C-alpha cells in the first residue's frame, strides 16, 4: 500500500483532475452528452477516492464516517492548495 501511495496514487489523482478540467473547458467532447456526464462522474469519483485513501495507515475499517479532513503527502500540497483545483 505504501508503494502504491508513493509511486502511483498522485498520478491517478492528477489524471482525474485533468479529465475534469478538460471536460470543463470542452477539450474533451463526445457526440453523446450522456457519455460526457458519465466520464465526469467517473473522474470525480476517482479523485474523491484518491482523497479518501488512508495515507497514514490508521483506518482499520474503511467503512467509517467521512471526517472532512485528509492527511495527504506533502508533495500533494501545491495541487491541493491551488485555487484552480477546486474551480
Amino acid at each position: 500500500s505504501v508503494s502504491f501511495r508513493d509511486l502511483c496514487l498522485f498520478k491517478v489523482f492528477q489524471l482525474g483532475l485533468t479529465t475534469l478540467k478538460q471536460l470543463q473547458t470542452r477539450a474533451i467532447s463526445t457526440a453523446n452528452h450522456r457519455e460526457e456526464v458519465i466520464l465526469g462522474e467517473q473522474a470525480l469519483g476517482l479523485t474523491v477516492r484518491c482523497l479518501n485513501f488512508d495515507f497514514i495507515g490508521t483506518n482499520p475499517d474503511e467503512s467509517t464516517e467521512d471526517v472532512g479532513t485528509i492527511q495527504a503527502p506533502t508533495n500533494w500540497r501545491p495541487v491541493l492548495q491551488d485555487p484552480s483545483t477546486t474551480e
Side-chain angles (χ1 to χ4, degrees):
S1 144
V2 172
S3 180
F4 172 74
R5 181 197 69 200
D6 293 343
L7 299 176
C8 302
L9 190 60
F10 187 59
K11 292 177 185 178
V12 173
F13 179 67
Q14 288 180 308
L15 176 64
L17 287 178
T18 299
T19 302
L20 289 170
K21 288 178 184 178
Q22 288 177 337
L23 285 167
Q24 181 183 30
T25 61
R26 309 286 298 159
I28 295 176
S29 63
T30 65
N32 182 340
H33 176 71
R34 181 72 187 135
E35 289 176 358
E36 289 179 36
V37 170
I38 291 169
L39 180 58
E41 290 170 348
Q42 294 296 318
L44 182 59
L46 179 64
T47 58
V48 168
R49 286 189 297 278
C50 288
L51 293 172
N52 283 334
F53 185 82
D54 183 12
F55 291 101
I56 55 176
T58 60
N59 188 1
D61 180 10
E62 292 187 344
S63 66
T64 59
E65 293 181 28
D66 293 335
V67 263
T69 60
I70 61 169
Q71 297 289 326
T74 305
N75 65 321
W76 289 44
R77 187 170 294 157
V79 173
L80 294 172
Q81 292 178 338
D82 183 348
S84 70
T85 298
T86 56
E87 291 179 350

